[in-house]
């Protein structure tokens, strides 16, 4: 297999994780961590259900991978995530020494890998390779559908409250 095929395959696994978040009414972000061609960690957003502001998909996947490998450093691992990581997640990925980040959809407001990159900041003592846009269309579509449904529910609730 080649890198592009591998990236698409593993991103589809991250998209499955994002759908799990969607099913829990969490923002649909999913992540998997791959080391030597094997998934060693997976996770999806669950800050609301876990009452944990750090329970982002990337953090869930990092925790699972570190536990499985028995090491907080993941120097040969690749993170596949459906949305560009935020500041918190990027910091954790740098500390874990992740080798590579592959993400699907950009996050224009909070993304810190490409949209508002922090990777060139000299305070970071680790360089991460980045590949952006893998399976961007299905990841973006899932996010758009989630937020459209959320807005529709909010509007319906507001109308229902006005009618009672």
């Amino acid at each position: 297999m080649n890198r592009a095929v591998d990236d698409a395959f593993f991103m589809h696994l991250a998209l499955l994780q994002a759908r799990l978040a969607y099913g829990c009414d969490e923002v649909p972000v999913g992540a998997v961590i791959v080391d030597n061609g094997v998934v060693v960690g997976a996770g999806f957003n669950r800050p609301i259900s876990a009452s944990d502001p750090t329970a982002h998909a990337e953090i869930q996947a990092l925790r699972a991978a570190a536990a499985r490998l028995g090491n907080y450093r993941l120097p040969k691992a690749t993170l596949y995530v459906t949305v560009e990581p935020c500041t918190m997640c990027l910091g954790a990925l740098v500390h874990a020494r992740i080798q590579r980040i592959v993400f699907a959809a950009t996050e224009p407001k909070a993304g810190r890998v490409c949209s508002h990159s922090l990777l060139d900041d000299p305070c970071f003592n680790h360089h991460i390779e980045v590949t952006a846009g893998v399976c961007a269309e299905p990841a973006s579509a899932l996010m758009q559908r989630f937020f459209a449904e959320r807005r529709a529910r909010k509007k319906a609730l507001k109308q229902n409250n006005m009618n009672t």
Side-chain angles (χ1 to χ4, degrees), residues 118-129:
L118 292 176
L119 288 175
D120 295 330
D121 191 309
C123 75
F124 288 139
N125 60 351
H126 175 68
H127 176 74
I128 300 175
E129 181 185 343

Side-chain angles (χ1 to χ4, degrees), residues 31-88:
V32 296
I33 295 179
V34 176
D35 193 335
N36 292 316
V38 176
V39 175
V40 294
F44 58 89
N45 264 9
R46 35 187 317 267
I48 297 167
S49 59
S51 297
D52 179 357
T54 69
H56 289 197
E58 299 94 325
I59 303 299
Q60 301 296 333
L62 277 171
R63 289 175 178 155
R68 179 168 178 184
L69 298 176
N71 194 342
Y72 73 106
R73 300 282 198 213
L74 306 168
K76 295 180 180 164
T78 298
L79 168 80
Y80 293 87
V81 62
T82 58
V83 176
E84 181 180 5
C86 69
T87 303
M88 175 186 69

Side-chain angles (χ1 to χ4, degrees), residues 22 25 144-154:
Y22 189 101
D25 204 27
Q144 289 169 355
R145 189 171 89 215
F146 175 82
F147 285 110
E149 288 177 5
R150 181 182 268 184
R151 284 189 301 272
R153 282 195 311 265
K154 191 174 181 179

Side-chain angles (χ1 to χ4, degrees), residues 5-22:
V5 171
D6 288 348
D7 286 351
F9 174 79
F10 290 119
M11 189 59 75
H12 282 289
L13 297 180
L15 283 163
L16 290 174
Q17 291 293 313
R19 288 184 188 99
L20 292 173
Y22 189 101

